[in-house]
Amino acid sequence: MNEEKRKSDAETRLVHYLAQHQMRRTPERMAILDKVMELNGRFVVDDLYKSLLSGGYYVSRATVYNCVNLLEASGIIRKLPVSDGAEQFECVDGRSRQHIHLVCSRCGKEREVKDAELMRMLSLRRFPSFVMSGFDLYVSGVCTRCRGGGRSRTKK
């Protein structure tokens, strides 16, 4: 999905959500949405706030936090589970999500892996009174580098 289409879809979803919940379409909400879409990856709310300020858009920290909650409720972004307590968010692209992540519990490094058999098994799984739209599986452990089995970077 190209960048303009992605931004347009997110704006349409937000405007629809605001109308459904009888909320106003404010310039602040639209500016925050634009900045979130520019980040195009994981972000922390404080970094989003600083990015808005450095871009010359002055808005309160509370407004940014409230808007992030609104974007999450509207399905434009989602909160990611993290081990260190700092809430991270990322954009949801509207397609079915099927991700498997390996997360090192020591250094925090994360790597996405593909496992066709596991993805197939999870996507076929049915739950009573629940319709699955996607999944994110986080497998925690210790990476090779933290275990001491990684390549050393010393020069000879």
Side-chain angles (χ1 to χ4, degrees):
M1 182 180 294
N2 73 24
E3 202 61 31
E4 285 304 313
K5 173 89 168 103
R6 195 167 83 55
K7 285 182 180 182
S8 173
D9 287 351
E11 185 173 332
T12 301
R13 277 192 284 169
L14 179 59
V15 169
H16 179 74
Y17 182 86
L18 293 172
Q20 266 187 322
H21 293 86
Q22 299 173 352
M23 300 170 84
R24 294 180 315 144
R25 177 185 173 164
T26 64
E28 293 83 5
R29 288 175 176 157
M30 301 317 287
I32 293 168
L33 174 64
D34 285 344
K35 187 55 77 173
V36 165
M37 299 310 289
E38 281 176 24
L39 294 175
N40 196 19
R42 292 181 176 200
F43 66 92
V44 177
V45 180
D46 279 337
D47 293 341
L48 172 62
Y49 174 70
K50 291 172 187 170
S51 180
L52 285 160
L53 292 179
S54 68
Y57 199 86
Y58 300 100
V59 63
S60 74
R61 188 180 303 264
T63 299
V64 175
Y65 273 92
N66 289 334
C67 190
V68 164
N69 289 333
L70 179 70
L71 295 175
E72 183 182 13
S74 65
I76 295 170
I77 63 173
R78 66 189 174 111
K79 191 183 307 185
L80 299 170
V82 290
S83 59
D84 65 0
E87 290 184 339
Q88 290 185 357
F89 296 86
E90 73 178 357
C91 291
V92 176
D93 63 6
R95 297 177 298 199
S96 176
R97 295 185 329 267
Q98 295 183 346
H99 300 282
I100 302 170
H101 305 268
L102 303 179
V103 183
C104 179
S105 56
R106 287 191 188 157
C107 68
K109 187 173 182 179
E110 183 177 317
R111 186 178 72 160
E112 187 172 337
V113 295
K114 302 288 183 196
D115 184 326
E117 182 180 349
L118 182 57
M119 290 177 116
R120 185 183 61 75
M121 287 173 49
L122 288 171
S123 64
L124 293 175
R125 181 74 169 103
R126 300 291 175 249
F127 301 94
S129 304
F130 185 80
V131 177
M132 182 171 56
S133 61
F135 61 83
D136 290 295
L137 176 62
Y138 289 83
V139 180
S140 57
V142 181
C143 70
T144 305
R145 178 157 283 144
C146 289
R147 276 195 340 255
R151 293 184 209 153
S152 73
R153 295 194 175 236
T154 57
K155 294 182 180 179
K156 293 185 180 181

